[in-house]
Amino acid sequence: MTRTYTPWFLLVVALALAAIYLFPLYWMYVTSLKTGSEIFANPPTFWPNSPNPDIYPETWSRRTMPVFLLNSVIIAGGITAITVILGTGCAYVLARYRNVWIDIGLFCVLMLQVLPASVMVTPLFVGFNQIGLLNFPRTAVVLAAAAKAMPFFVVLVRATFMSVPRELEEAALVDGNSRVGAFFSIVLPLARNGILVCAILTFMSAFGEYIYSKSIIQSPALQPASVGLSGFLGPNSTDWSSIMAYSAIYVTPILLVFVILQRRIVSGLTSGALK
């Protein structure tokens, strides 16, 4: 293969992989518009013969989706706030101070990322029950999910801080600024793009939090949209049209946020978050 055709070949491969990856999204939207019989038609139809857009307002009202989506936003916002506030300081310390204890701390942070949520949910549930935090289930979910999201945020933001020249801080200290003042006036503004990108990724991931919410939150009025989706699954029947419509309503805001902010996300990652 000549060098001239290599970029075109790689482009075709990338487009094919993107099509495979995005096909489930297309199938979700198409299936939501199909009738019950057409969903199980063989061979399957790749576009509904008689689209039924009424399924969306029906699902919106029947499943009280505004309540579920509001809970998802509250939980995701709390997780993101705790992660950004605590994780930024932790990432700065791990990036600027190097000794054996810092290396041990970074290793522990990475080990927390390895542990799956399904393993941690039982001891967290028992611990929250003993301290009475289960009386505030959304708060318990926010704390548990924030602890899970913290390692990912710290590792990425640490790389962002490491890309900021140390000489700028030293110059600020020579000019009479304190370490805290240098952090807020010099380092934080230079790293804000990478921090913002990591915060967006954290929010998008937290918006789909399921395991902790399903295990800790028992009241439907406090459950997020990810848990509300399981209400369509019955022992004898499954309403696939409503499931797909619910999923489409749930996923579309996140897709729109990603499309709108994709350039900022990519530029933030390439400018230092993954260096």
Side-chain angles (χ1 to χ4, degrees):
M1 184 179 295
T2 62
R3 186 179 298 273
T4 304
Y5 292 101
T6 299
W8 289 103
F9 174 75
L10 295 177
L11 177 61
V12 171
V13 172
L15 292 177
L17 293 176
I20 294 173
Y21 185 78
L22 294 176
F23 180 76
L25 287 176
Y26 167 79
W27 197 249
M28 176 186 67
Y29 286 108
V30 169
T31 305
S32 66
L33 298 174
K34 293 181 180 181
T35 60
S37 59
E38 190 177 359
I39 290 177
F40 298 99
N42 190 16
T45 56
F46 290 89
W47 185 257
N49 296 325
S50 300
N52 180 28
D54 295 336
I55 190 67
Y56 285 95
E58 178 184 345
T59 302
W60 177 271
S61 58
R62 181 162 61 95
R63 295 301 303 171
T64 61
M65 286 202 68
V67 176
F68 286 122
L69 291 176
L70 177 61
N71 291 330
S72 294
V73 172
I74 292 174
I75 292 175
I79 294 171
T80 304
I82 294 177
T83 303
V84 171
I85 294 173
L86 299 181
T88 300
C90 181
Y92 175 75
V93 172
L94 293 175
R96 283 294 182 260
Y97 300 96
R98 299 304 303 271
N99 56 50
V100 64
W101 296 109
I102 295 296
D103 294 337
I104 293 174
L106 180 60
F107 176 78
C108 294
V109 168
L110 293 176
M111 286 300 99
L112 290 174
Q113 183 65 41
V114 175
L115 295 174
S118 57
V119 173
M120 300 301 298
V121 64
T122 300
L124 285 175
F125 184 90
V126 174
F128 289 157
N129 184 44
Q130 290 179 348
I131 64 177
L133 197 56
L134 291 183
N135 295 326
F136 309 94
R138 282 192 302 197
T139 303
V141 170
V142 168
L143 294 177
K148 178 63 179 175
M150 191 75 69
F152 173 78
F153 182 88
V154 168
V155 170
L156 291 184
V157 176
R158 174 179 177 268
T160 301
F161 283 133
M162 292 180 68
S163 66
V164 178
R166 188 187 296 267
E167 290 76 8
L168 296 176
E169 291 181 77
E170 295 176 351
L173 295 176
V174 171
D175 290 340
N177 213 333
S178 64
R179 176 68 68 176
V180 176
F183 171 76
F184 283 103
S185 61
I186 302 296
V187 180
L188 198 59
L190 294 176
R192 67 178 181 272
N193 198 27
I195 296 174
L196 178 60
V197 169
C198 294
I200 294 173
L201 295 177
T202 301
F203 182 88
M204 294 173 65
S205 176
F207 193 76
E209 203 289 317
Y210 176 80
I211 295 179
Y212 293 130
S213 299
K214 180 65 174 179
S215 304
I216 296 176
I217 303 177
Q218 305 300 323
S219 173
L222 301 177
Q223 291 175 342
S226 57
V227 179
L229 182 61
S230 61
F232 290 102
L233 303 177
N236 300 319
S237 63
T238 302
D239 189 356
W240 288 110
S241 297
S242 298
I243 288 177
M244 294 302 175
Y246 185 103
S247 301
I249 298 173
Y250 179 39
V251 170
T252 299
I254 293 297
L255 292 177
L256 293 176
V257 170
F258 181 81
V259 170
I260 294 173
L261 301 177
Q262 61 175 329
R263 291 191 177 184
R264 191 174 186 88
I265 293 174
V266 173
S267 63
L269 291 176
T270 56
S271 66
L274 293 181
K275 285 184 180 180

